[in-house]
Amino acid sequence: MIEVRALTKTYGGQRAVNELSFTAPAGKVTGFLGPNGAGKTTTFRCLLGLVAPTSGAALIDGCAYRDLASPRHHVGAVLESTGFHPARTGRNHLRVIARAAGFDAPRIDPLLELVGLQSASDRRVGGYSLGMRQRLAIAAAMLGDPEVLVLDEPANGLDPEGVSWIRRLMRIWADEGRTVVVSSHLLAEVAQAVDRVVIIRDGTLVTEADIADLTADRVTVRVDRTDAMLDALQAAGADHELLADGAISIAARDTAEIGGIAARAGVTVTELSRRGTAETLEAMYLAVTEAGGQ
Amino acid sequence: MIHLVAAEGLKLRTTRLLLGMIPAAVAISLAGVAGTVLVHGGGDRAVLESAKGVRQVLSATGAGAILVLVVGIIISAGEYRYGTADDTFLTTPRRHQVLAAKLAVGSGLGLAVGVVTSLASIGIAAVLYSTEGATFPLDDAEVWLTLAGTLVYTALFAMLGVALGSLVRNQVLAVTGALAWFAVVEHALVNLAPDIGRWLPAAAGQAIIRTPLDGLLSPLAGTALLATYAVAIALSGIRVAATRDA
């Protein structure tokens, strides 16, 4: 499990991450979403001990990264900034990490096969494509068979087939009980694969929710007199929320029920629809990215 | 700790760095030795066979150490150049351990290069002495003391490079800075203030390899001084690595 508690990181007076708190439980794929520059990478670097937080903490199973007894056994990470020595072969890159981590019998060959690099393993990384480097980084993260996986924009540089491969991998890892956190600035890349979302903007938490909680289908209604409709919903005891675009989102399965409330309140319905999980998530994320773009 | 040293050794063996640098270091040393025999000796047998002559010739073996220093810098700063530092620190979050392993590998490499260049130097010196009509005094203690100095010198230069590269993470800056220091800056400082000259790193190095120059420290004092420089810079490097974000 990953716990981020009131994490703040300041760079030259600028708050890259601001009092951020969230958790990513074991057995779930947590999508860490936010527009570019929202603080996702900085949060990950704090979590992985590469950057010292200004205040707050980012813990892995209750421990700071540097206090983990065997970090590579515990956590596997794929970071955007990670580089490779161009003259080193893919296999030797993995051998170096295995040696430094003290793994006795590193399972390098099966890993190379898993990521589809077995035929390129003895070529220098300098000649690898972006996608091949990403696959090598994933193999490196898996070397210690870690319980926690942290992936920073892993889909970058991968073709559509590679992206769906990453999704399947994440699903398998989570189903094996591992903690998986994946960051992305594109919801569509991860939407189908995540069990939980943490959305941030400007280093601050916007939403943290399980997809299961979003699946309680919601009805969206647009009316001529929004205030009257909000009062009527309040009176009816319906769990509702006014969306940024002026529509009202209501936790309900039945459009007829909501139409009835509107009729009794004497407001005119201009739009009435049911939103599934995907749409709800998309609307939620769109509101965040649009606000961030302003 | 042993596996970290092994990993650093593996890193070094799995790039092409040594393939170019080690032969170049040996070549520079041998060229230095050969040049000194031919120029300094000038065909004068008595000069070549004198204790001072032997020291002069063999201390030229140290010339290759500057490339070993460059290798040392690349061992440290190269991790930032290619972005492999992330992976290194993910494996070993306690960064001083990484630097300690790099210092161990660097000094081992320096010793190995020192042994190779020393033996090659003796060989080439013996051959050139005989072509000059002189006899290379292999049984002279001067020979072996100077060569022992060369081993220490090369090892310390490698460590100095590793330490420097940990402090100055920009590899190009660190390499050009170090070359400028040893080629230009220190000479200029010595000319400006001869009294402090002997306390500077290059002069400490010359003392270790027993270069027959006036005003140098004793070989042991030179060793202690150069080691102190390396340790001081390494400690600053550790401080920087522990506090600066990677």
Side-chain angles (χ1 to χ4, degrees), chain B residues 179-238:
Chain B
L179 292 180
W181 175 270
F182 285 106
V184 183
V185 179
E186 187 165 329
H187 291 297
L189 283 177
V190 169
N191 287 334
L192 280 173
D195 290 346
I196 60 156
R198 63 160 90 178
W199 302 102
L200 296 176
Q206 294 303 318
I208 299 172
I209 51 176
R210 301 161 58 82
T211 308
L213 283 174
D214 291 336
L216 290 180
L217 299 171
S218 73
L220 281 182
T223 303
L225 182 58
L226 198 57
T228 307
Y229 275 117
V231 168
I233 298 174
L235 287 176
S236 320
I238 285 173

Short mmCIF file of all heavy atoms in Angstrom, two decimals, chain B residues 179-238:
data_model
loop_
_atom_site.label_atom_id
_atom_site.label_comp_id
_atom_site.label_asym_id
_atom_site.label_seq_id
_atom_site.Cartn_x
_atom_site.Cartn_y
_atom_site.Cartn_z
N LEU B 179 41.06 18.85 -16.25
CA LEU B 179 42.17 18.95 -17.20
C LEU B 179 42.79 20.35 -17.13
O LEU B 179 44.01 20.50 -17.13
CB LEU B 179 41.70 18.64 -18.63
CG LEU B 179 41.29 17.17 -18.88
CD1 LEU B 179 40.84 16.98 -20.32
CD2 LEU B 179 42.45 16.22 -18.56
N ALA B 180 41.92 21.37 -17.06
CA ALA B 180 42.42 22.74 -17.00
C ALA B 180 43.25 22.93 -15.73
O ALA B 180 44.31 23.55 -15.76
CB ALA B 180 41.26 23.73 -17.03
N TRP B 181 42.78 22.37 -14.62
CA TRP B 181 43.51 22.51 -13.37
C TRP B 181 44.92 21.91 -13.49
O TRP B 181 45.92 22.57 -13.18
CB TRP B 181 42.76 21.83 -12.22
CG TRP B 181 43.57 21.87 -10.96
CD1 TRP B 181 44.46 20.94 -10.52
CD2 TRP B 181 43.60 22.93 -10.00
NE1 TRP B 181 45.06 21.34 -9.35
CE2 TRP B 181 44.54 22.56 -9.01
CE3 TRP B 181 42.93 24.15 -9.89
CZ2 TRP B 181 44.82 23.37 -7.92
CZ3 TRP B 181 43.21 24.95 -8.79
CH2 TRP B 181 44.15 24.55 -7.82
N PHE B 182 44.97 20.67 -13.97
CA PHE B 182 46.27 20.00 -13.96
C PHE B 182 47.18 20.48 -15.08
O PHE B 182 48.40 20.39 -14.98
CB PHE B 182 46.08 18.48 -14.03
CG PHE B 182 45.61 17.93 -12.71
CD1 PHE B 182 44.30 17.51 -12.53
CD2 PHE B 182 46.48 17.86 -11.63
CE1 PHE B 182 43.86 17.04 -11.30
CE2 PHE B 182 46.06 17.40 -10.40
CZ PHE B 182 44.74 16.98 -10.24
N ALA B 183 46.60 21.01 -16.16
CA ALA B 183 47.45 21.45 -17.27
C ALA B 183 47.87 22.91 -17.12
O ALA B 183 48.97 23.28 -17.52
CB ALA B 183 46.71 21.25 -18.60
N VAL B 184 46.98 23.73 -16.56
CA VAL B 184 47.24 25.18 -16.59
C VAL B 184 47.21 25.82 -15.20
O VAL B 184 48.20 26.41 -14.75
CB VAL B 184 46.18 25.90 -17.47
CG1 VAL B 184 46.49 27.39 -17.55
CG2 VAL B 184 46.10 25.26 -18.85
N VAL B 185 46.06 25.64 -14.51
CA VAL B 185 45.80 26.45 -13.32
C VAL B 185 46.86 26.22 -12.24
O VAL B 185 47.43 27.17 -11.69
CB VAL B 185 44.40 26.15 -12.75
CG1 VAL B 185 44.15 26.97 -11.50
CG2 VAL B 185 43.35 26.44 -13.81
N GLU B 186 47.16 24.94 -11.98
CA GLU B 186 48.09 24.70 -10.88
C GLU B 186 49.48 25.24 -11.19
O GLU B 186 50.14 25.81 -10.31
CB GLU B 186 48.16 23.20 -10.53
CG GLU B 186 49.00 23.00 -9.28
CD GLU B 186 48.87 21.65 -8.63
OE1 GLU B 186 47.79 21.04 -8.71
OE2 GLU B 186 49.86 21.22 -8.03
N HIS B 187 49.93 25.10 -12.46
CA HIS B 187 51.23 25.65 -12.84
C HIS B 187 51.26 27.16 -12.60
O HIS B 187 52.23 27.70 -12.08
CB HIS B 187 51.52 25.37 -14.32
CG HIS B 187 51.75 23.92 -14.58
ND1 HIS B 187 52.81 23.23 -14.02
CD2 HIS B 187 51.08 23.01 -15.32
CE1 HIS B 187 52.76 21.97 -14.41
NE2 HIS B 187 51.72 21.81 -15.20
N ALA B 188 50.15 27.80 -12.99
CA ALA B 188 50.08 29.26 -12.84
C ALA B 188 50.15 29.63 -11.36
O ALA B 188 50.87 30.55 -10.97
CB ALA B 188 48.79 29.78 -13.47
N LEU B 189 49.42 28.89 -10.53
CA LEU B 189 49.42 29.17 -9.10
C LEU B 189 50.81 28.97 -8.51
O LEU B 189 51.25 29.76 -7.66
CB LEU B 189 48.42 28.25 -8.38
CG LEU B 189 46.95 28.62 -8.51
CD1 LEU B 189 46.08 27.60 -7.80
CD2 LEU B 189 46.71 30.01 -7.92
N VAL B 190 51.50 27.91 -8.97
CA VAL B 190 52.84 27.63 -8.45
C VAL B 190 53.78 28.78 -8.78
O VAL B 190 54.58 29.21 -7.95
CB VAL B 190 53.36 26.30 -9.02
CG1 VAL B 190 54.84 26.13 -8.71
CG2 VAL B 190 52.57 25.13 -8.45
N ASN B 191 53.63 29.30 -10.00
CA ASN B 191 54.49 30.42 -10.38
C ASN B 191 54.18 31.67 -9.58
O ASN B 191 55.06 32.43 -9.23
CB ASN B 191 54.34 30.71 -11.89
CG ASN B 191 55.01 29.63 -12.70
OD1 ASN B 191 55.95 28.97 -12.22
ND2 ASN B 191 54.53 29.41 -13.92
N LEU B 192 52.89 31.89 -9.31
CA LEU B 192 52.47 33.06 -8.56
C LEU B 192 52.91 32.97 -7.10
O LEU B 192 53.40 33.92 -6.52
CB LEU B 192 50.94 33.21 -8.61
CG LEU B 192 50.39 33.84 -9.89
CD1 LEU B 192 48.87 33.76 -9.90
CD2 LEU B 192 50.85 35.29 -10.01
N ALA B 193 52.70 31.79 -6.53
CA ALA B 193 52.99 31.61 -5.10
C ALA B 193 53.70 30.28 -4.89
O ALA B 193 53.08 29.29 -4.53
CB ALA B 193 51.69 31.68 -4.29
N PRO B 194 55.01 30.25 -5.13
CA PRO B 194 55.75 29.00 -5.04
C PRO B 194 55.63 28.30 -3.68
O PRO B 194 55.68 27.07 -3.61
CB PRO B 194 57.19 29.44 -5.30
CG PRO B 194 57.10 30.77 -5.95
CD PRO B 194 55.85 31.40 -5.45
N ASP B 195 55.42 29.09 -2.63
CA ASP B 195 55.38 28.49 -1.29
C ASP B 195 54.19 27.55 -1.10
O ASP B 195 54.29 26.56 -0.38
CB ASP B 195 55.29 29.60 -0.22
CG ASP B 195 56.60 30.36 -0.15
OD1 ASP B 195 57.59 29.85 -0.72
OD2 ASP B 195 56.62 31.45 0.46
N ILE B 196 53.08 27.89 -1.73
CA ILE B 196 51.92 27.02 -1.55
C ILE B 196 51.88 25.90 -2.60
O ILE B 196 51.16 24.94 -2.47
CB ILE B 196 50.58 27.80 -1.60
CG1 ILE B 196 50.42 28.50 -2.95
CG2 ILE B 196 50.47 28.78 -0.46
CD1 ILE B 196 48.98 28.78 -3.31
N GLY B 197 52.71 26.05 -3.63
CA GLY B 197 52.68 25.12 -4.75
C GLY B 197 52.79 23.66 -4.32
O GLY B 197 52.05 22.80 -4.83
N ARG B 198 53.64 23.35 -3.39
CA ARG B 198 53.87 21.96 -3.01
C ARG B 198 52.66 21.33 -2.33
O ARG B 198 52.58 20.12 -2.20
CB ARG B 198 55.08 21.87 -2.09
CG ARG B 198 54.85 22.62 -0.78
CD ARG B 198 55.77 22.14 0.27
NE ARG B 198 57.03 22.89 0.29
CZ ARG B 198 57.98 22.66 1.19
NH1 ARG B 198 57.82 21.69 2.06
NH2 ARG B 198 59.07 23.38 1.20
N TRP B 199 51.76 22.17 -1.84
CA TRP B 199 50.57 21.65 -1.15
C TRP B 199 49.40 21.40 -2.12
O TRP B 199 48.35 20.97 -1.70
CB TRP B 199 50.12 22.65 -0.07
CG TRP B 199 51.20 22.89 0.93
CD1 TRP B 199 52.03 23.98 1.01
CD2 TRP B 199 51.61 22.01 1.98
NE1 TRP B 199 52.93 23.84 2.03
CE2 TRP B 199 52.69 22.63 2.65
CE3 TRP B 199 51.18 20.75 2.42
CZ2 TRP B 199 53.34 22.04 3.73
CZ3 TRP B 199 51.82 20.16 3.49
CH2 TRP B 199 52.89 20.80 4.14
N LEU B 200 49.61 21.71 -3.39
CA LEU B 200 48.54 21.51 -4.37
C LEU B 200 48.57 20.06 -4.87
O LEU B 200 49.60 19.39 -4.79
CB LEU B 200 48.70 22.51 -5.52
CG LEU B 200 48.55 23.98 -5.09
CD1 LEU B 200 48.82 24.92 -6.25
CD2 LEU B 200 47.16 24.24 -4.50
N PRO B 201 47.43 19.58 -5.41
CA PRO B 201 47.31 18.15 -5.73
C PRO B 201 48.33 17.63 -6.76
O PRO B 201 48.88 16.55 -6.57
CB PRO B 201 45.88 18.00 -6.26
CG PRO B 201 45.29 19.35 -6.32
CD PRO B 201 46.15 20.29 -5.56
N ALA B 202 48.59 18.38 -7.82
CA ALA B 202 49.52 17.87 -8.83
C ALA B 202 50.92 17.73 -8.24
O ALA B 202 51.62 16.74 -8.49
CB ALA B 202 49.54 18.79 -10.05
N ALA B 203 51.31 18.72 -7.42
CA ALA B 203 52.64 18.66 -6.80
C ALA B 203 52.71 17.51 -5.80
O ALA B 203 53.73 16.81 -5.70
CB ALA B 203 52.94 19.98 -6.10
N ALA B 204 51.60 17.29 -5.08
CA ALA B 204 51.55 16.15 -4.16
C ALA B 204 51.75 14.86 -4.95
O ALA B 204 52.47 13.95 -4.52
CB ALA B 204 50.21 16.12 -3.42
N GLY B 205 51.12 14.79 -6.13
CA GLY B 205 51.27 13.62 -7.00
C GLY B 205 52.71 13.44 -7.45
O GLY B 205 53.26 12.35 -7.43
N GLN B 206 53.37 14.56 -7.85
CA GLN B 206 54.76 14.48 -8.29
C GLN B 206 55.65 13.97 -7.16
O GLN B 206 56.61 13.24 -7.40
CB GLN B 206 55.25 15.86 -8.76
CG GLN B 206 54.56 16.37 -10.02
CD GLN B 206 54.69 15.41 -11.19
OE1 GLN B 206 55.76 14.86 -11.42
NE2 GLN B 206 53.59 15.18 -11.90
N ALA B 207 55.31 14.36 -5.92
CA ALA B 207 56.08 13.88 -4.77
C ALA B 207 55.94 12.37 -4.64
O ALA B 207 56.92 11.66 -4.35
CB ALA B 207 55.61 14.57 -3.49
N ILE B 208 54.73 11.86 -4.89
CA ILE B 208 54.49 10.42 -4.74
C ILE B 208 55.32 9.63 -5.75
O ILE B 208 55.89 8.59 -5.42
CB ILE B 208 52.99 10.09 -4.91
CG1 ILE B 208 52.16 10.81 -3.85
CG2 ILE B 208 52.75 8.58 -4.84
CD1 ILE B 208 50.67 10.70 -4.06
N ILE B 209 55.38 10.13 -6.99
CA ILE B 209 56.14 9.37 -8.00
C ILE B 209 57.60 9.80 -8.04
O ILE B 209 58.33 9.48 -8.98
CB ILE B 209 55.49 9.48 -9.41
CG1 ILE B 209 55.24 10.93 -9.78
CG2 ILE B 209 54.22 8.66 -9.50
CD1 ILE B 209 54.69 11.10 -11.19
N ARG B 210 58.02 10.52 -7.01
CA ARG B 210 59.45 10.83 -6.80
C ARG B 210 60.07 11.56 -7.98
O ARG B 210 61.22 11.31 -8.35
CB ARG B 210 60.22 9.54 -6.50
CG ARG B 210 59.69 8.84 -5.25
CD ARG B 210 60.11 7.39 -5.17
NE ARG B 210 61.56 7.20 -5.20
CZ ARG B 210 62.35 7.32 -4.13
NH1 ARG B 210 61.83 7.62 -2.98
NH2 ARG B 210 63.63 7.14 -4.26
N THR B 211 59.30 12.47 -8.58
CA THR B 211 59.87 13.31 -9.63
C THR B 211 61.00 14.14 -9.02
O THR B 211 60.80 14.74 -7.96
CB THR B 211 58.80 14.26 -10.19
OG1 THR B 211 57.67 13.49 -10.55
CG2 THR B 211 59.31 15.01 -11.42
N PRO B 212 62.17 14.13 -9.64
CA PRO B 212 63.28 14.90 -9.06
C PRO B 212 63.10 16.40 -9.28
O PRO B 212 63.68 16.98 -10.19
CB PRO B 212 64.51 14.36 -9.78
CG PRO B 212 63.99 13.76 -11.04
CD PRO B 212 62.58 13.38 -10.82
N LEU B 213 62.24 17.01 -8.47
CA LEU B 213 62.04 18.46 -8.51
C LEU B 213 62.32 19.00 -7.12
O LEU B 213 62.10 18.31 -6.12
CB LEU B 213 60.58 18.80 -8.86
CG LEU B 213 60.13 18.67 -10.32
CD1 LEU B 213 58.64 18.91 -10.41
CD2 LEU B 213 60.90 19.65 -11.20
N ASP B 214 62.77 20.24 -7.06
CA ASP B 214 63.04 20.85 -5.76
C ASP B 214 61.74 21.26 -5.09
O ASP B 214 60.79 21.64 -5.75
CB ASP B 214 63.94 22.09 -5.94
CG ASP B 214 65.33 21.67 -6.37
OD1 ASP B 214 65.70 20.51 -6.08
OD2 ASP B 214 66.02 22.49 -7.02
N GLY B 215 61.75 21.21 -3.77
CA GLY B 215 60.64 21.77 -3.00
C GLY B 215 59.44 20.87 -2.83
O GLY B 215 58.44 21.27 -2.23
N LEU B 216 59.48 19.65 -3.37
CA LEU B 216 58.34 18.74 -3.20
C LEU B 216 58.32 18.14 -1.80
O LEU B 216 59.35 18.07 -1.12
CB LEU B 216 58.41 17.61 -4.22
CG LEU B 216 58.16 17.98 -5.68
CD1 LEU B 216 58.26 16.74 -6.55
CD2 LEU B 216 56.80 18.64 -5.86
N LEU B 217 57.13 17.70 -1.38
CA LEU B 217 57.03 16.97 -0.12
C LEU B 217 57.67 15.60 -0.27
O LEU B 217 58.02 15.18 -1.38
CB LEU B 217 55.54 16.78 0.24
CG LEU B 217 54.72 18.05 0.44
CD1 LEU B 217 53.24 17.70 0.57
CD2 LEU B 217 55.20 18.79 1.67
N SER B 218 57.80 14.88 0.85
CA SER B 218 58.30 13.51 0.77
C SER B 218 57.20 12.65 0.13
O SER B 218 56.03 13.03 0.16
CB SER B 218 58.62 12.99 2.17
OG SER B 218 57.40 12.74 2.85
N PRO B 219 57.55 11.49 -0.44
CA PRO B 219 56.52 10.65 -1.06
C PRO B 219 55.39 10.30 -0.11
O PRO B 219 54.22 10.33 -0.48
CB PRO B 219 57.30 9.40 -1.47
CG PRO B 219 58.68 9.88 -1.70
CD PRO B 219 58.91 10.98 -0.69
N LEU B 220 55.73 10.00 1.15
CA LEU B 220 54.66 9.63 2.10
C LEU B 220 53.76 10.82 2.41
O LEU B 220 52.52 10.69 2.46
CB LEU B 220 55.29 9.09 3.39
CG LEU B 220 55.76 7.64 3.30
CD1 LEU B 220 56.33 7.19 4.64
CD2 LEU B 220 54.63 6.72 2.87
N ALA B 221 54.37 11.99 2.60
CA ALA B 221 53.56 13.18 2.87
C ALA B 221 52.69 13.50 1.66
O ALA B 221 51.52 13.89 1.80
CB ALA B 221 54.47 14.36 3.21
N GLY B 222 53.26 13.32 0.46
CA GLY B 222 52.48 13.56 -0.76
C GLY B 222 51.29 12.63 -0.84
O GLY B 222 50.18 13.03 -1.20
N THR B 223 51.52 11.36 -0.49
CA THR B 223 50.44 10.37 -0.49
C THR B 223 49.33 10.78 0.46
O THR B 223 48.14 10.79 0.11
CB THR B 223 50.97 8.98 -0.08
OG1 THR B 223 52.02 8.61 -0.97
CG2 THR B 223 49.87 7.93 -0.12
N ALA B 224 49.75 11.16 1.68
CA ALA B 224 48.76 11.56 2.68
C ALA B 224 47.97 12.77 2.19
O ALA B 224 46.73 12.83 2.34
CB ALA B 224 49.45 11.88 4.00
N LEU B 225 48.69 13.72 1.55
CA LEU B 225 48.03 14.95 1.12
C LEU B 225 47.03 14.68 -0.02
O LEU B 225 45.88 15.13 0.02
CB LEU B 225 49.08 15.96 0.66
CG LEU B 225 48.56 17.32 0.21
CD1 LEU B 225 47.76 18.01 1.32
CD2 LEU B 225 49.71 18.22 -0.23
N LEU B 226 47.47 13.90 -1.02
CA LEU B 226 46.58 13.62 -2.16
C LEU B 226 45.37 12.80 -1.69
O LEU B 226 44.24 13.03 -2.14
CB LEU B 226 47.34 12.89 -3.26
CG LEU B 226 46.69 12.91 -4.65
CD1 LEU B 226 46.45 14.33 -5.14
CD2 LEU B 226 47.55 12.15 -5.67
N ALA B 227 45.63 11.86 -0.77
CA ALA B 227 44.52 11.07 -0.21
C ALA B 227 43.54 11.99 0.52
O ALA B 227 42.32 11.82 0.44
CB ALA B 227 45.05 9.99 0.71
N THR B 228 44.10 12.99 1.23
CA THR B 228 43.24 13.92 1.95
C THR B 228 42.36 14.71 0.98
O THR B 228 41.17 14.90 1.22
CB THR B 228 44.09 14.90 2.79
OG1 THR B 228 44.96 14.12 3.61
CG2 THR B 228 43.23 15.79 3.65
N TYR B 229 42.98 15.16 -0.12
CA TYR B 229 42.18 15.85 -1.14
C TYR B 229 41.03 14.96 -1.62
O TYR B 229 39.88 15.39 -1.70
CB TYR B 229 43.06 16.23 -2.35
CG TYR B 229 43.80 17.53 -2.19
CD1 TYR B 229 45.20 17.57 -2.18
CD2 TYR B 229 43.11 18.73 -2.11
CE1 TYR B 229 45.89 18.76 -2.05
CE2 TYR B 229 43.80 19.93 -1.97
CZ TYR B 229 45.19 19.94 -1.95
OH TYR B 229 45.86 21.12 -1.81
N ALA B 230 41.37 13.70 -1.96
CA ALA B 230 40.36 12.78 -2.49
C ALA B 230 39.23 12.58 -1.48
O ALA B 230 38.05 12.64 -1.81
CB ALA B 230 41.00 11.46 -2.89
N VAL B 231 39.62 12.35 -0.22
CA VAL B 231 38.61 12.09 0.82
C VAL B 231 37.76 13.33 1.05
O VAL B 231 36.53 13.24 1.17
CB VAL B 231 39.29 11.63 2.13
CG1 VAL B 231 38.30 11.64 3.28
CG2 VAL B 231 39.89 10.25 1.95
N ALA B 232 38.40 14.50 1.08
CA ALA B 232 37.65 15.74 1.33
C ALA B 232 36.63 15.98 0.23
O ALA B 232 35.47 16.31 0.49
CB ALA B 232 38.61 16.92 1.44
N ILE B 233 37.07 15.78 -1.02
CA ILE B 233 36.14 16.00 -2.13
C ILE B 233 35.04 14.94 -2.11
O ILE B 233 33.87 15.24 -2.34
CB ILE B 233 36.89 15.98 -3.49
CG1 ILE B 233 37.90 17.13 -3.52
CG2 ILE B 233 35.92 16.12 -4.65
CD1 ILE B 233 38.80 17.13 -4.74
N ALA B 234 35.41 13.69 -1.78
CA ALA B 234 34.42 12.62 -1.70
C ALA B 234 33.38 12.93 -0.62
O ALA B 234 32.18 12.72 -0.82
CB ALA B 234 35.08 11.28 -1.44
N LEU B 235 33.85 13.44 0.52
CA LEU B 235 32.90 13.77 1.60
C LEU B 235 31.95 14.88 1.17
O LEU B 235 30.75 14.83 1.45
CB LEU B 235 33.66 14.17 2.87
CG LEU B 235 34.35 13.01 3.60
CD1 LEU B 235 35.14 13.53 4.79
CD2 LEU B 235 33.33 11.97 4.06
N SER B 236 32.48 15.88 0.45
CA SER B 236 31.59 16.93 -0.08
C SER B 236 30.61 16.31 -1.06
O SER B 236 29.44 16.69 -1.09
CB SER B 236 32.39 18.02 -0.80
OG SER B 236 33.57 18.30 -0.12
N GLY B 237 31.11 15.37 -1.87
CA GLY B 237 30.24 14.69 -2.84
C GLY B 237 29.12 13.94 -2.13
O GLY B 237 27.97 13.98 -2.55
N ILE B 238 29.45 13.28 -1.02
CA ILE B 238 28.44 12.54 -0.25
C ILE B 238 27.41 13.50 0.30
O ILE B 238 26.20 13.28 0.23
CB ILE B 238 29.10 11.75 0.90
CG1 ILE B 238 29.82 10.53 0.34
CG2 ILE B 238 28.07 11.33 1.94
CD1 ILE B 238 30.64 9.78 1.35
#
